Amino acid sequence: MDIELSPQDAAFRDEVRTFLRDYLPAEVKAGAAATPSVFVEPEIGQAWNAVLNKQGWLGYQWPAEHGGTGWTPLQRYLFEKECAAAGAPNLTVLGLKLLAPVIYNFGTDAQKAEVLPRILSGEDYWCQGFSEPGAGSDLASLKTRAVREGDHYRVNGSKIWTTHAHHANRMFTLVRTNTEVKKQAGISFLLIDLDTPGVSVRPILTNAGDHEVNQVFLEDVMVPAENLVGGEGDGWTIAKFLLENERGGSCHAPKLGYDLDQIEAAAKDESDGKGGILADQTDWRRRVAKARLSVNALEMIELKIISEIAKGRKAGPQTSLTKLLASNLRQEIDLLAVDLYGPAGLQLETARPLYGDNAPAAVHSKAAQVASARYLNSRAWTIFGGTNEVQSTIIAKSVLGL
């Protein structure tokens, strides 16, 4: 694997860097810095999506024939790395990175023509209906039932931990269409309009204090049969394809590295005239160095996967490895932030009595105010997209042959 950039790739990187400098709105960057969860609020994320769509870069992971950029795997990586370094928000992946590849790989021509342009335009905001009470990591045990009645499916059941369902107007979901076969063989993939009668969304407020996830209830919801993606019983195959994209569809190291950079800079802040807060403590430096080495190692693994994809090979179970490593690192880095800011990480007013009017600039930053919320929110990283235990099992079976 050659990690030196060609002149063409270096020029592409510089083009992206210049674009971000000129067109990343300050309010979007500020919104990303103040976001405690994985996804920014739609008014921030959709504003950034619109900027990228105008540039023709929003579907940067899509093939050109489906409205994407047709960029190489390395160009996609460079774009993500520059976006992370510029402080841009995470793109809302549910439509762009999870559903879109399903549609252009498994969907009908009519579905491609309807769904893909509306993702890019922002007309449709998607959520993902996979997990259920009692069927999260054991997704094959899902019970939401879809019964064919003429040219519609009657759907009954519920989905839980549904991110941004309170903002979304559409949901892609797994339903059980056959109860007489093996569990995995009876699952299908269905697109549901959330304004259909019988759909209700109930908020779930987390310990972090945010409203990011929900429970969605489906009571006699009539869904057109044309909204079935693939055939009946293809849902498990499509879900495995989608989950590989969820686990490895983005490079995690650039964003983790950016967040670690911010923490290091804040730790060295000497604006109070008393020197760094933790920068001179040996244990702190050791923890930061360990995290930095782990981020660098993850980046090398991700670049190796990119190299394999560029040769026409599938990422496969390696995405479980990157998901496992990134989840643990996310939690380690968020804990560093909590330890750095201490009570200042709760709210700014709490910090003033501790530091006085000459508090370090780090204390006054948005990062301090969201540190605890991010730490609490990131507890979910080792659960969503498949728990650490699930990823370890996949690695053991697929890579180690155990």
Side-chain angles (χ1 to χ4, degrees), residues 62-106:
W62 301 10
E65 62 267 28
H66 296 301
T69 60
W71 288 346
T72 67
L74 180 56
Q75 287 174 322
R76 297 197 294 266
Y77 164 78
L78 291 171
F79 175 74
E80 290 193 2
K81 183 163 187 175
E82 292 304 319
C83 283
N90 293 330
L91 293 178
T92 307
V93 302
L94 298 172
L96 281 170
K97 298 184 180 181
L98 301 189
L99 178 62
V102 166
I103 296 299
Y104 59 68
N105 279 282
F106 298 94

Side-chain angles (χ1 to χ4, degrees), residues 293-304:
L293 289 171
S294 297
V295 169
N296 291 344
L298 175 61
E299 184 171 32
M300 290 301 102
I301 295 171
E302 291 179 336
L303 285 170
K304 178 63 176 175

Side-chain angles (χ1 to χ4, degrees), residues 390-401:
V390 167
Q391 307 310 326
S392 297
T393 298
I394 291 172
I395 294 167
K397 290 182 176 179
S398 302
V399 180
L400 302 178

Side-chain angles (χ1 to χ4, degrees), residues 12-35:
F12 172 82
R13 177 204 60 199
D14 293 342
E15 179 187 4
V16 172
R17 190 173 292 174
T18 300
F19 172 81
L20 290 166
R21 183 193 64 207
D22 295 341
Y23 293 103
L24 174 60
E27 61 273 17
V28 168
K29 184 173 180 178
T35 297

